[in-house]
Amino acid sequence: MTRAPGISVRLKLTLSYAGFLVVAGTLLLAVVWLFLLRYVPDGQITVPGPFVPNRADLIRAFTPAVSWALLFLLVFGLLGGWILAGRMLAPLARITEATRRATSGSLSHRIALPGRQDEFRELADSFDAMLARLEAHVVEQRRFAANASHELRTPLAITQTLLDVARRDPDRDVDELIERLRAVNARAIDLTEALLVLSRAEQGSFTPEPVDLSLVAEQAAETLMPLAEARGVTVRTSGDIAWTTGSDALLLQLASNLLHNAIVHNIPAHGTVDVVTSADGATVALVVENTGAVISPERVATLTEPFQRGSERARTGDHAGVGLGLAIVRSITDAHAGALVLAARAEGGLRVTVRLGAQHP
């Protein structure tokens, strides 16, 4: 936005300081006039002894002194105000310089304003925290974009290869080609939908409403029951009614992702998945726990990163997923100002706990 040039804040403060001093001095002199000179007689005073000045004599002697005093206050106010305004606005200049650097794309610069806490230091610290979050967000988005491009390029490359092979080999089994293309296309669609859900969760674009986590968990379990039965996994849901505030669709997506992840990565046959909801005062919790292979703590720490999968065997098959399940869970949890905790079970498998703020319907 283009603006016309104006008076600087430093000059405005300087004029304000000088004006305040002059006005204060004028008021002080007015008090002297009102409470002292008004009681001096105006006519000639004739008394035996030395000369006694009347009011007119005092005014003639007082006026030049008042003029010089007001002029001194004006000059002193301008000079002192300019120096004081410069010292007061020095932190603002550093904040402005950091803002210009951030505008040009340099998010690594920090103001790091020294001194005790005041309004400028609070603003500088908040700005530094904002720059840190922006820098981390930009780094994460770049990494995510690179991973997403790689993941999307893979099914497209496979599709191109299959079409090239079919063109060179007219006698190839068409049904087999169509089935493989369908599978590759379905994976690309799943990945695209997951990316859209992840973007929506990160933006937090939803209208909060009361949601019962226990009902959401039951809906997710009912939807994924055929997948669990096909893999020989037993899904058990239990717990208390747990009301929170948020998006019913996103929280259902969260529960479905957790349950799908628990079923798919339940590698041993006849495994179990426990889904428990609870309410504890100001918070409610959704816990999804599954049996499976032993996972190292180092591996657990990376599971919420995009395109990370818990085990090698779970990367293949019809329900391998696209590696965004727990990343979406983390984004939905953050959008609801909640907490996500992942912990490896000593006997194998994973325990995922989502804590959200409680809300009475």
Side-chain angles (χ1 to χ4, degrees):
M1 180 179 178
T2 304
R3 298 179 184 270
I7 302 176
S8 67
V9 175
R10 186 176 185 181
L11 180 57
K12 290 179 181 179
L13 289 176
T14 300
L15 295 176
S16 299
Y17 295 151
F20 175 79
L21 279 178
V22 171
V23 170
T26 303
L27 291 176
L28 179 62
L29 295 175
V31 169
V32 173
W33 167 260
L34 290 175
F35 290 94
L36 291 179
L37 294 181
R38 64 180 298 185
Y39 294 109
V40 177
D42 194 18
Q44 183 177 3
I45 303 175
T46 55
V47 295
F51 171 74
V52 178
N54 59 15
R55 185 188 304 175
D57 296 329
L58 291 177
I59 290 177
R60 282 193 299 270
F62 191 59
T63 300
V66 168
S67 301
W68 283 108
L70 291 178
L71 180 61
F72 172 77
L73 287 177
L74 177 61
V75 174
F76 181 78
L78 290 173
L79 181 60
W82 182 261
I83 296 174
L84 288 176
R87 293 178 61 86
M88 292 292 294
L89 294 176
L92 186 60
R94 293 182 59 172
I95 296 174
T96 303
E97 178 61 23
T99 305
R100 290 196 181 101
R101 292 192 180 187
T103 303
S104 63
S106 176
L107 299 178
S108 60
H109 177 71
R110 298 293 181 269
I111 302 172
L113 199 62
R116 296 187 177 183
Q117 183 73 6
D118 60 15
E119 288 81 358
F120 282 125
R121 273 78 183 172
E122 184 178 358
L123 176 61
D125 293 343
S126 299
F127 192 81
D128 284 343
M130 181 190 69
L131 286 178
R133 289 194 298 269
L134 283 175
E135 185 179 21
H137 182 69
V138 168
V139 171
E140 182 179 354
Q141 288 297 318
R142 288 175 179 172
R143 183 175 65 251
F144 178 81
N147 291 333
S149 299
H150 174 74
E151 294 286 332
L152 283 171
R153 185 170 61 246
T154 300
L156 294 176
I158 294 174
T159 301
Q160 183 66 40
T161 301
L162 291 174
L163 292 175
D164 290 342
V165 171
R167 185 176 59 180
R168 291 193 300 266
D169 184 9
D171 298 330
R172 183 180 179 87
D173 188 351
V174 177
D175 293 337
E176 179 186 358
L177 175 63
I178 292 176
E179 183 62 26
R180 294 189 63 181
L181 286 174
R182 185 202 65 80
V184 173
N185 187 67
R187 179 174 176 78
I189 292 175
D190 291 342
L191 177 58
T192 303
E193 291 179 347
L195 290 172
L196 291 174
V197 172
L198 183 59
S199 175
R200 180 187 174 196
E202 290 178 343
Q203 294 175 3
S205 55
F206 59 85
T207 302
E209 58 182 344
V211 180
D212 181 9
L213 281 184
S214 63
L215 181 59
V216 168
E218 291 178 1
Q219 291 176 344
E222 182 179 354
T223 301
L224 292 172
M225 190 60 67
L227 175 61
E229 293 175 350
R231 288 179 170 259
V233 176
T234 302
V235 178
R236 299 178 298 205
T237 59
S238 62
D240 306 323
I241 295 176
W243 287 97
T244 187
T245 301
S247 167
D248 183 75
L250 286 179
L251 290 176
L252 179 58
Q253 184 73 48
L254 178 146
S256 300
N257 282 13
L258 287 178
L259 191 53
H260 182 277
N261 187 76
I263 294 172
V264 170
H265 294 279
N266 212 319
I267 303 302
H270 309 296
T272 59
V273 174
D274 291 312
V275 183
V276 181
T277 57
S278 61
D280 182 17
T283 62
V284 296
L286 170 65
V287 180
V288 178
E289 186 174 357
N290 68 291
T291 56
V294 176
I295 308 175
S296 65
E298 294 78 11
R299 183 64 177 165
V300 171
T302 66
L303 290 180
T304 57
E305 295 295 324
F307 307 108
Q308 295 292 328
R309 299 175 179 87
S311 62
E312 294 295 331
R313 291 183 59 188
R315 299 188 184 199
T316 60
D318 295 336
H319 300 279
V322 293
L324 289 173
L326 290 179
I328 291 175
V329 169
R330 183 189 64 178
S331 295
I332 295 176
T333 304
D334 292 342
H336 288 77
L340 175 66
V341 179
L342 277 68
R345 301 171 72 244
E347 60 274 23
L350 187 69
R351 179 186 298 109
V352 182
T353 303
V354 177
R355 292 194 177 275
L356 304 174
Q359 173 68 37
H360 297 288

